[in-house]
Amino acid sequence: MDKVLIVGLNLTTNPKSQNFDLAMDEMVCLVKACDMEPVGRVEQNMESVNTATYIGAGKVQEVREMAKALEADMVVFDNGLSPIQLRNLSEELGCAVMDRTTLILEIFSVRAKTREAKLQVEVARLQYMLPRLVGLHDALSRQGGASGAMSNKGAGEKKLELDRRRLEQRLTTMRRELENIAEERKTQRKKRAESGIPRVALVGYTNAGKSTIMNAMLAAYVADEQKMVFEEDMLFATLDTTVRRIAPTDRNAFLLSDTVGFISNLPHNLVKAFRSTLEEVLEADLLVQVIDYSDENYMEHIRVTENTLKELGAEKIPMIYAYNKADLCGMGEFATVQGDDRLYMSAKSRSGMETLITLITGKLSAGYKDCEFMIPYKRGDIVSYLNDNAVVYHTEYHEEGIYMETNVSRVDAARYEQFLAK
Protein backbone atom coordinates (compact mmCIF):
# COMPACT_ATOMS: atom_id res chain seq x y z
CA MET A 1 0.00 0.00 0.00
CA ASP A 2 1.42 3.36 -1.06
CA LYS A 3 2.18 5.87 1.67
CA VAL A 4 0.81 9.36 1.04
CA LEU A 5 1.65 12.78 2.43
CA ILE A 6 -1.29 15.21 2.15
CA VAL A 7 -0.62 18.91 1.53
CA GLY A 8 -3.27 21.59 1.96
CA LEU A 9 -3.32 25.32 1.25
CA ASN A 10 -5.67 27.52 3.30
CA LEU A 11 -6.32 30.80 1.47
CA THR A 12 -6.89 33.35 4.22
CA THR A 13 -8.55 35.79 1.81
CA ASN A 14 -11.11 33.18 0.71
CA PRO A 15 -14.48 33.59 2.50
CA LYS A 16 -14.85 29.78 2.37
CA SER A 17 -11.61 29.20 4.28
CA GLN A 18 -13.60 28.13 7.35
CA ASN A 19 -14.23 24.86 5.46
CA PHE A 20 -10.51 24.13 5.22
CA ASP A 21 -10.44 21.57 8.06
CA LEU A 22 -13.43 19.79 6.49
CA ALA A 23 -11.66 19.70 3.12
CA MET A 24 -8.50 18.25 4.68
CA ASP A 25 -10.43 15.58 6.59
CA GLU A 26 -12.16 14.73 3.34
CA MET A 27 -8.79 14.40 1.63
CA VAL A 28 -7.83 11.74 4.19
CA CYS A 29 -11.03 9.82 3.32
CA LEU A 30 -10.33 10.14 -0.40
CA VAL A 31 -6.79 8.82 0.02
CA LYS A 32 -8.09 5.83 1.99
CA ALA A 33 -10.82 5.27 -0.62
CA CYS A 34 -8.02 5.01 -3.20
CA ASP A 35 -6.45 2.19 -1.14
CA MET A 36 -3.51 4.31 -0.03
CA GLU A 37 -2.22 5.07 3.48
CA PRO A 38 -2.11 8.72 4.66
CA VAL A 39 1.05 9.10 6.77
CA GLY A 40 1.08 12.86 7.40
CA ARG A 41 -0.40 16.28 6.69
CA VAL A 42 1.26 19.58 5.83
CA GLU A 43 -0.80 22.77 5.89
CA GLN A 44 0.00 26.35 4.95
CA ASN A 45 -1.88 29.63 5.30
CA MET A 46 -1.38 32.05 2.41
CA GLU A 47 -3.23 34.97 0.89
CA SER A 48 -2.93 33.61 -2.65
CA VAL A 49 -1.75 30.56 -4.57
CA ASN A 50 1.88 30.42 -5.70
CA THR A 51 1.54 30.20 -9.48
CA ALA A 52 4.75 28.18 -9.82
CA THR A 53 4.49 25.65 -6.98
CA TYR A 54 0.99 26.14 -5.46
CA ILE A 55 2.53 26.45 -1.96
CA GLY A 56 5.44 28.70 -0.92
CA ALA A 57 9.03 27.85 -1.83
CA GLY A 58 10.00 27.29 1.82
CA LYS A 59 7.03 24.99 2.35
CA VAL A 60 8.04 22.97 -0.74
CA GLN A 61 11.37 22.20 0.96
CA GLU A 62 9.55 21.25 4.18
CA VAL A 63 7.26 18.89 2.24
CA ARG A 64 10.27 17.29 0.51
CA GLU A 65 12.02 16.65 3.83
CA MET A 66 8.87 15.32 5.50
CA ALA A 67 8.07 13.02 2.58
CA LYS A 68 11.58 11.60 2.79
CA ALA A 69 11.39 11.17 6.58
CA LEU A 70 8.00 9.44 6.39
CA GLU A 71 9.08 7.37 3.38
CA ALA A 72 6.06 8.63 1.46
CA ASP A 73 5.62 7.24 -2.04
CA MET A 74 3.44 10.12 -3.13
CA VAL A 75 2.44 13.68 -2.22
CA VAL A 76 -1.22 14.58 -2.76
CA PHE A 77 -2.42 18.20 -2.88
CA ASP A 78 -5.85 19.32 -1.73
CA ASN A 79 -6.79 21.13 -4.94
CA GLY A 80 -6.31 20.96 -8.68
CA LEU A 81 -2.79 21.78 -9.88
CA SER A 82 -1.99 23.60 -13.11
CA PRO A 83 0.33 21.85 -15.61
CA ILE A 84 3.27 24.09 -14.64
CA GLN A 85 2.66 23.53 -10.90
CA LEU A 86 2.48 19.79 -11.42
CA ARG A 87 5.75 19.75 -13.37
CA ASN A 88 7.61 22.01 -10.92
CA LEU A 89 6.44 20.10 -7.85
CA SER A 90 7.40 16.75 -9.39
CA GLU A 91 10.90 18.07 -10.00
CA GLU A 92 11.27 19.77 -6.59
CA LEU A 93 9.85 16.92 -4.47
CA GLY A 94 11.53 14.07 -6.30
CA CYS A 95 8.51 11.77 -5.94
CA ALA A 96 5.11 11.18 -7.50
CA VAL A 97 2.68 14.10 -7.20
CA MET A 98 -1.10 13.91 -7.46
CA ASP A 99 -3.79 16.57 -7.05
CA ARG A 100 -7.34 16.25 -5.74
CA THR A 101 -8.92 15.92 -9.17
CA THR A 102 -6.59 13.10 -10.20
CA LEU A 103 -7.25 11.35 -6.89
CA ILE A 104 -11.02 11.42 -7.45
CA LEU A 105 -10.53 10.22 -11.02
CA GLU A 106 -8.47 7.30 -9.71
CA ILE A 107 -11.25 6.34 -7.29
CA PHE A 108 -13.84 6.59 -10.05
CA SER A 109 -11.73 4.44 -12.40
CA VAL A 110 -11.59 1.67 -9.76
CA ARG A 111 -15.30 1.91 -8.86
CA ALA A 112 -16.61 2.03 -12.44
CA LYS A 113 -18.29 -1.26 -13.34
CA THR A 114 -20.42 -0.75 -16.45
CA ARG A 115 -19.11 0.12 -19.89
CA GLU A 116 -20.75 3.55 -19.71
CA ALA A 117 -19.23 4.44 -16.34
CA LYS A 118 -15.77 3.32 -17.47
CA LEU A 119 -16.05 5.41 -20.62
CA GLN A 120 -17.23 8.46 -18.67
CA VAL A 121 -14.33 8.24 -16.24
CA GLU A 122 -11.78 7.68 -19.01
CA VAL A 123 -13.08 10.68 -20.98
CA ALA A 124 -12.78 12.89 -17.90
CA ARG A 125 -9.27 11.54 -17.18
CA LEU A 126 -8.01 12.13 -20.71
CA GLN A 127 -9.49 15.63 -20.81
CA TYR A 128 -7.60 16.40 -17.61
CA MET A 129 -4.36 14.82 -18.87
CA LEU A 130 -4.14 16.58 -22.24
CA PRO A 131 -2.92 20.00 -21.01
CA ARG A 132 -0.60 18.27 -18.52
CA LEU A 133 1.50 16.40 -21.06
CA VAL A 134 3.96 19.31 -21.22
CA GLY A 135 7.10 18.49 -19.29
CA LEU A 136 6.58 14.73 -19.20
CA HIS A 137 9.34 14.12 -21.72
CA ASP A 138 11.98 16.62 -20.60
CA ALA A 139 14.53 13.86 -20.30
CA LEU A 140 14.48 13.43 -24.07
CA SER A 141 16.48 15.59 -26.47
CA ARG A 142 14.99 18.84 -27.79
CA GLN A 143 17.30 18.83 -30.82
CA GLY A 144 16.16 17.23 -34.07
CA GLY A 145 17.18 17.04 -37.67
CA ALA A 146 14.53 14.94 -39.37
CA SER A 147 12.54 16.05 -42.38
CA GLY A 148 8.84 16.66 -42.70
CA ALA A 149 6.27 18.34 -40.44
CA MET A 150 8.34 17.61 -37.31
CA SER A 151 11.74 18.47 -38.82
CA ASN A 152 12.55 21.10 -36.17
CA LYS A 153 11.24 19.12 -33.22
CA GLY A 154 13.43 17.14 -30.85
CA ALA A 155 12.60 13.63 -29.65
CA GLY A 156 10.78 14.95 -26.59
CA GLU A 157 8.61 17.27 -28.67
CA LYS A 158 7.84 14.51 -31.16
CA LYS A 159 6.85 12.14 -28.37
CA LEU A 160 4.70 14.87 -26.80
CA GLU A 161 2.88 15.59 -30.04
CA LEU A 162 2.35 11.90 -30.80
CA ASP A 163 0.96 11.32 -27.32
CA ARG A 164 -1.37 14.29 -27.72
CA ARG A 165 -2.63 12.98 -31.07
CA ARG A 166 -3.25 9.51 -29.64
CA LEU A 167 -5.18 10.95 -26.70
CA GLU A 168 -7.28 13.19 -28.94
CA GLN A 169 -8.09 10.27 -31.26
CA ARG A 170 -9.02 8.09 -28.33
CA LEU A 171 -11.19 10.87 -26.87
CA THR A 172 -13.03 11.25 -30.17
CA THR A 173 -13.74 7.51 -30.33
CA MET A 174 -14.96 7.29 -26.74
CA ARG A 175 -17.13 10.42 -27.04
CA ARG A 176 -18.81 8.88 -30.08
CA GLU A 177 -19.52 5.69 -28.15
CA LEU A 178 -20.86 7.68 -25.20
CA GLU A 179 -23.16 9.60 -27.55
CA ASN A 180 -24.61 6.27 -28.74
CA ILE A 181 -25.15 5.15 -25.15
CA ALA A 182 -26.73 8.53 -24.35
CA GLU A 183 -29.18 8.03 -27.23
CA GLU A 184 -30.10 4.60 -25.84
CA ARG A 185 -30.67 6.17 -22.41
CA LYS A 186 -32.82 8.85 -24.00
CA THR A 187 -34.96 6.16 -25.64
CA GLN A 188 -35.31 4.31 -22.33
CA ARG A 189 -36.32 7.52 -20.55
CA LYS A 190 -38.87 8.27 -23.27
CA LYS A 191 -40.46 4.84 -22.81
CA ARG A 192 -40.57 5.34 -19.04
CA ALA A 193 -42.17 8.77 -19.53
CA GLU A 194 -44.80 7.28 -21.84
CA SER A 195 -45.65 4.68 -19.21
CA GLY A 196 -46.99 7.46 -16.98
CA ILE A 197 -45.19 6.05 -13.93
CA PRO A 198 -43.74 8.93 -11.85
CA ARG A 199 -39.99 9.07 -11.31
CA VAL A 200 -38.15 9.65 -8.06
CA ALA A 201 -34.37 10.18 -7.83
CA LEU A 202 -32.16 9.71 -4.77
CA VAL A 203 -29.51 12.44 -4.63
CA GLY A 204 -27.03 13.63 -2.03
CA TYR A 205 -23.47 13.73 -0.80
CA THR A 206 -21.38 10.62 -1.31
CA ASN A 207 -21.74 7.94 1.39
CA ALA A 208 -24.95 9.46 2.81
CA GLY A 209 -26.89 6.21 2.40
CA LYS A 210 -28.66 6.46 -0.98
CA SER A 211 -27.94 2.85 -1.97
CA THR A 212 -29.01 1.65 1.49
CA ILE A 213 -32.38 3.34 1.04
CA MET A 214 -32.72 1.87 -2.46
CA ASN A 215 -31.98 -1.64 -1.14
CA ALA A 216 -34.36 -1.20 1.81
CA MET A 217 -37.20 -0.37 -0.60
CA LEU A 218 -36.28 -3.26 -2.88
CA ALA A 219 -36.22 -5.67 0.06
CA ALA A 220 -39.65 -4.48 1.20
CA TYR A 221 -41.47 -4.25 -2.13
CA VAL A 222 -39.54 -6.27 -4.71
CA ALA A 223 -37.90 -9.15 -2.84
CA ASP A 224 -35.48 -9.93 -5.66
CA GLU A 225 -31.83 -10.05 -4.60
CA GLN A 226 -30.67 -9.67 -8.20
CA LYS A 227 -32.25 -6.21 -8.24
CA MET A 228 -30.17 -5.04 -5.27
CA VAL A 229 -27.48 -2.39 -5.83
CA PHE A 230 -23.94 -2.33 -4.46
CA GLU A 231 -23.90 -0.94 -0.92
CA GLU A 232 -20.77 -0.16 1.11
CA ASP A 233 -19.59 2.36 3.72
CA MET A 234 -17.16 4.17 1.42
CA LEU A 235 -16.91 7.25 -0.77
CA PHE A 236 -18.32 6.81 -4.28
CA ALA A 237 -19.40 3.19 -3.76
CA THR A 238 -21.95 3.71 -6.55
CA LEU A 239 -21.16 5.33 -9.90
CA ASP A 240 -23.83 3.82 -12.11
CA THR A 241 -27.35 5.20 -12.10
CA THR A 242 -29.75 2.36 -11.33
CA VAL A 243 -33.50 2.55 -11.95
CA ARG A 244 -35.88 0.19 -10.16
CA ARG A 245 -39.67 -0.04 -10.07
CA ILE A 246 -41.09 0.27 -6.54
CA ALA A 247 -44.70 -0.85 -6.03
CA PRO A 248 -45.80 -0.33 -2.40
CA THR A 249 -48.88 -2.22 -1.27
CA ASP A 250 -52.11 -0.24 -1.85
CA ARG A 251 -50.13 2.68 -3.27
CA ASN A 252 -49.15 3.78 -6.74
CA ALA A 253 -45.90 2.46 -8.17
CA PHE A 254 -42.98 4.73 -9.02
CA LEU A 255 -39.54 4.42 -10.60
CA LEU A 256 -36.66 5.02 -8.18
CA SER A 257 -33.19 6.08 -9.39
CA ASP A 258 -30.00 5.75 -7.36
CA THR A 259 -27.45 8.28 -8.64
CA VAL A 260 -23.73 8.99 -8.21
CA GLY A 261 -22.93 10.86 -5.00
CA PHE A 262 -21.73 14.45 -4.95
CA ILE A 263 -18.69 15.91 -3.19
CA SER A 264 -17.30 19.41 -2.67
CA ASN A 265 -15.27 20.68 -5.62
CA LEU A 266 -16.37 17.75 -7.77
CA PRO A 267 -14.15 18.07 -10.88
CA HIS A 268 -16.03 19.86 -13.65
CA ASN A 269 -14.87 17.26 -16.18
CA LEU A 270 -16.55 14.56 -14.11
CA VAL A 271 -19.83 16.47 -13.88
CA LYS A 272 -19.68 16.97 -17.65
CA ALA A 273 -18.73 13.36 -18.38
CA PHE A 274 -21.47 11.96 -16.13
CA ARG A 275 -24.08 14.38 -17.45
CA SER A 276 -25.93 11.74 -19.47
CA THR A 277 -26.16 9.58 -16.34
CA LEU A 278 -27.21 12.50 -14.15
CA GLU A 279 -29.95 13.42 -16.61
CA GLU A 280 -32.04 10.86 -14.71
CA VAL A 281 -32.19 13.57 -12.04
CA LEU A 282 -33.48 16.14 -14.53
CA GLU A 283 -36.28 13.77 -15.62
CA ALA A 284 -37.44 13.13 -12.06
CA ASP A 285 -40.82 14.28 -10.75
CA LEU A 286 -39.45 14.27 -7.21
CA LEU A 287 -35.99 14.29 -5.60
CA VAL A 288 -35.13 12.68 -2.27
CA GLN A 289 -31.99 14.30 -0.89
CA VAL A 290 -30.33 11.80 1.44
CA ILE A 291 -28.29 13.49 4.17
CA ASP A 292 -25.89 11.89 6.65
CA TYR A 293 -27.31 13.52 9.78
CA SER A 294 -24.57 11.94 11.93
CA ASP A 295 -21.90 13.97 10.10
CA GLU A 296 -21.26 17.27 11.89
CA ASN A 297 -20.76 18.91 8.49
CA TYR A 298 -24.12 17.83 7.10
CA MET A 299 -25.21 21.44 6.43
CA GLU A 300 -22.18 21.92 4.17
CA HIS A 301 -23.09 18.66 2.40
CA ILE A 302 -26.60 20.00 1.74
CA ARG A 303 -25.08 23.19 0.30
CA VAL A 304 -22.77 21.22 -2.02
CA THR A 305 -25.62 18.97 -3.18
CA GLU A 306 -27.93 21.88 -3.92
CA ASN A 307 -25.18 23.78 -5.76
CA THR A 308 -24.51 20.70 -7.91
CA LEU A 309 -28.24 20.30 -8.62
CA LYS A 310 -28.35 23.95 -9.63
CA GLU A 311 -25.42 23.40 -12.00
CA LEU A 312 -27.36 20.51 -13.56
CA GLY A 313 -30.51 22.66 -13.84
CA ALA A 314 -32.52 20.54 -11.39
CA GLU A 315 -32.95 23.08 -8.57
CA LYS A 316 -36.69 23.58 -9.13
CA ILE A 317 -37.72 19.92 -8.86
CA PRO A 318 -39.74 19.23 -5.64
CA MET A 319 -37.62 17.67 -2.90
CA ILE A 320 -37.90 15.60 0.26
CA TYR A 321 -35.05 15.82 2.78
CA ALA A 322 -34.24 12.43 4.30
CA TYR A 323 -31.91 12.92 7.28
CA ASN A 324 -30.39 9.45 7.42
CA LYS A 325 -28.37 7.78 10.25
CA ALA A 326 -30.41 9.72 12.84
CA ASP A 327 -30.11 6.73 15.18
CA LEU A 328 -26.40 7.56 15.54
CA CYS A 329 -27.40 10.94 16.97
CA GLY A 330 -29.40 9.56 19.88
CA MET A 331 -32.79 9.88 18.17
CA GLY A 332 -33.69 6.24 18.77
CA GLU A 333 -35.20 3.80 16.32
CA PHE A 334 -38.33 5.78 15.47
CA ALA A 335 -38.68 8.10 12.50
CA THR A 336 -39.46 11.75 13.12
CA VAL A 337 -41.31 13.81 10.51
CA GLN A 338 -41.29 17.59 10.14
CA GLY A 339 -43.94 18.90 7.76
CA ASP A 340 -44.35 17.07 4.48
CA ASP A 341 -40.75 17.27 3.26
CA ARG A 342 -38.41 16.41 6.18
CA LEU A 343 -37.80 13.03 7.75
CA TYR A 344 -35.26 11.85 10.33
CA MET A 345 -34.66 8.13 9.82
CA SER A 346 -32.23 5.21 9.72
CA ALA A 347 -32.14 3.23 6.48
CA LYS A 348 -29.71 0.69 7.94
CA SER A 349 -32.15 -0.35 10.68
CA ARG A 350 -35.12 0.21 8.32
CA SER A 351 -36.52 2.80 10.73
CA GLY A 352 -38.61 5.35 8.85
CA MET A 353 -38.78 3.53 5.51
CA GLU A 354 -42.58 3.24 5.56
CA THR A 355 -42.83 6.90 6.53
CA LEU A 356 -40.55 7.86 3.64
CA ILE A 357 -42.77 5.91 1.24
CA THR A 358 -45.79 7.80 2.63
CA LEU A 359 -44.05 11.16 2.05
CA ILE A 360 -43.06 10.16 -1.48
CA THR A 361 -46.48 8.89 -2.53
CA GLY A 362 -48.09 11.91 -0.88
CA LYS A 363 -45.94 14.28 -2.95
CA LEU A 364 -46.71 12.31 -6.11
CA SER A 365 -50.44 12.08 -5.48
CA ALA A 366 -51.14 15.31 -7.36
CA GLY A 367 -50.41 13.41 -10.55
CA TYR A 368 -53.13 10.82 -9.86
CA LYS A 369 -56.90 10.67 -9.97
CA ASP A 370 -59.68 8.20 -9.14
CA CYS A 371 -61.20 6.57 -12.23
CA GLU A 372 -63.77 3.84 -12.92
CA PHE A 373 -63.14 1.72 -16.01
CA MET A 374 -65.12 -0.89 -17.91
CA ILE A 375 -62.51 -2.92 -19.77
CA PRO A 376 -63.58 -5.36 -22.53
CA TYR A 377 -62.54 -8.96 -21.88
CA LYS A 378 -60.45 -8.96 -25.05
CA ARG A 379 -58.29 -6.17 -23.56
CA GLY A 380 -56.74 -8.22 -20.81
CA ASP A 381 -53.49 -6.34 -21.42
CA ILE A 382 -55.06 -3.16 -19.99
CA VAL A 383 -56.38 -5.04 -16.95
CA SER A 384 -52.92 -6.49 -16.34
CA TYR A 385 -51.31 -3.05 -16.79
CA LEU A 386 -53.68 -1.38 -14.31
CA ASN A 387 -53.14 -4.14 -11.74
CA ASP A 388 -49.39 -3.56 -12.03
CA ASN A 389 -49.28 0.24 -12.28
CA ALA A 390 -52.35 1.60 -10.48
CA VAL A 391 -54.06 1.21 -7.14
CA VAL A 392 -57.08 -1.00 -7.76
CA TYR A 393 -59.75 -0.49 -5.09
CA HIS A 394 -62.35 -2.88 -6.46
CA THR A 395 -62.88 -5.29 -9.39
CA GLU A 396 -66.13 -6.77 -10.70
CA TYR A 397 -66.81 -9.06 -13.66
CA HIS A 398 -69.82 -8.05 -15.75
CA GLU A 399 -71.26 -9.39 -18.98
CA GLU A 400 -69.89 -6.43 -20.97
CA GLY A 401 -66.46 -6.44 -19.38
CA ILE A 402 -64.33 -6.00 -16.25
CA TYR A 403 -65.31 -3.10 -14.00
CA MET A 404 -62.37 -1.56 -12.07
CA GLU A 405 -62.31 1.23 -9.49
CA THR A 406 -58.78 2.64 -9.56
CA ASN A 407 -56.44 5.45 -8.69
CA VAL A 408 -54.30 6.02 -11.80
CA SER A 409 -51.84 8.56 -13.13
CA ARG A 410 -53.35 11.38 -15.13
CA VAL A 411 -51.37 10.13 -18.14
CA ASP A 412 -53.04 6.70 -17.89
CA ALA A 413 -56.44 8.29 -17.24
CA ALA A 414 -56.14 10.14 -20.54
CA ARG A 415 -54.71 7.10 -22.33
CA TYR A 416 -57.66 4.85 -21.38
CA GLU A 417 -60.33 7.55 -21.45
CA GLN A 418 -62.43 5.53 -23.95
CA PHE A 419 -62.87 2.81 -21.33
CA LEU A 420 -64.16 5.10 -18.57
CA ALA A 421 -67.37 3.74 -17.04
CA LYS A 422 -70.34 5.88 -17.96
Side-chain angles (χ1 to χ4, degrees), residues 303-319:
R303 185 191 67 79
V304 169
T305 298
E306 296 188 343
N307 283 346
T308 307
L309 290 174
K310 187 174 182 179
E311 183 178 349
L312 291 170
E315 72 274 16
K316 294 183 179 180
I317 300 175
M319 185 181 296

Side-chain angles (χ1 to χ4, degrees), residues 175-344:
R175 282 173 177 153
R176 191 176 297 121
E177 188 172 349
L178 274 176
E179 286 173 4
N180 293 334
I181 295 175
E183 283 301 314
E184 292 175 9
R185 275 190 170 277
K186 190 181 295 184
T187 301
Q188 292 171 352
R189 283 197 296 270
K190 184 178 179 181
K191 289 181 179 178
R192 289 198 291 267
E194 290 173 350
S195 74
I197 303 177
R199 288 156 293 178
V200 179
L202 298 170
V203 298
Y205 213 75
T206 180
N207 205 30
K210 296 183 297 298
S211 297
T212 305
I213 287 180
M214 167 74 90
N215 284 338
M217 290 192 185
L218 290 172
Y221 304 113
V222 179
D224 183 351
E225 289 190 4
Q226 293 186 347
K227 297 285 187 180
M228 296 290 187
V229 299
F230 180 67
E231 175 188 335
E232 193 66 50
D233 183 16
M234 63 171 67
L235 300 182
F236 301 116
T238 303
L239 292 187
D240 304 297
T241 295
T242 306
V243 182
R244 297 287 186 263
R245 182 178 177 276
I246 306 296
T249 307
D250 297 329
R251 292 180 183 140
N252 294 103
F254 58 88
L255 296 174
L256 183 66
S257 303
D258 180 22
T259 62
V260 62
F262 303 141
I263 195 169
S264 60
N265 299 321
L266 186 65
H268 181 72
N269 283 343
L270 274 178
V271 175
K272 187 176 180 181
F274 276 77
R275 190 168 188 86
S276 64
T277 305
L278 291 170
E279 281 176 358
E280 291 289 346
V281 174
L282 295 175
E283 300 290 334
D285 300 291
L286 176 67
L287 301 180
V288 176
Q289 183 178 165
V290 183
I291 303 150
D292 181 355
Y293 190 53
S294 68
D295 192 311
E296 62 180 8
N297 300 299
Y298 74 90
M299 289 299 295
E300 173 65 12
H301 295 175
I302 293 175
R303 185 191 67 79
V304 169
T305 298
E306 296 188 343
N307 283 346
T308 307
L309 290 174
K310 187 174 182 179
E311 183 178 349
L312 291 170
E315 72 274 16
K316 294 183 179 180
I317 300 175
M319 185 181 296
I320 290 174
Y321 296 85
Y323 292 84
N324 192 30
K325 307 182 187 181
D327 55 318
L328 301 179
C329 305
M331 296 187 71
E333 292 294 318
F334 301 99
T336 303
V337 180
Q338 289 187 357
D340 64 349
D341 65 351
R342 277 172 169 73
L343 167 68
Y344 295 84

Side-chain angles (χ1 to χ4, degrees), residues 49-57 60-61 63-64 75 77 81-98 132-136 138:
V49 172
N50 186 313
T51 56
T53 55
Y54 184 64
I55 53 177
V60 170
Q61 183 177 350
V63 170
R64 181 173 62 246
V75 176
F77 288 79
L81 298 174
S82 69
I84 192 68
Q85 289 169 342
L86 186 61
R87 184 186 66 181
N88 290 341
L89 286 168
S90 297
E91 292 175 350
E92 291 285 341
L93 299 178
C95 66
V97 174
M98 186 182 288
R132 288 161 177 78
L133 288 176
V134 178
L136 293 180
D138 285 344

Side-chain angles (χ1 to χ4, degrees), residues 1 51 57 76 152 169 298 317 360 409:
M1 182 180 290
T51 56
V76 177
N152 294 321
Q169 290 170 355
Y298 74 90
I317 300 175
I360 290 174
S409 71

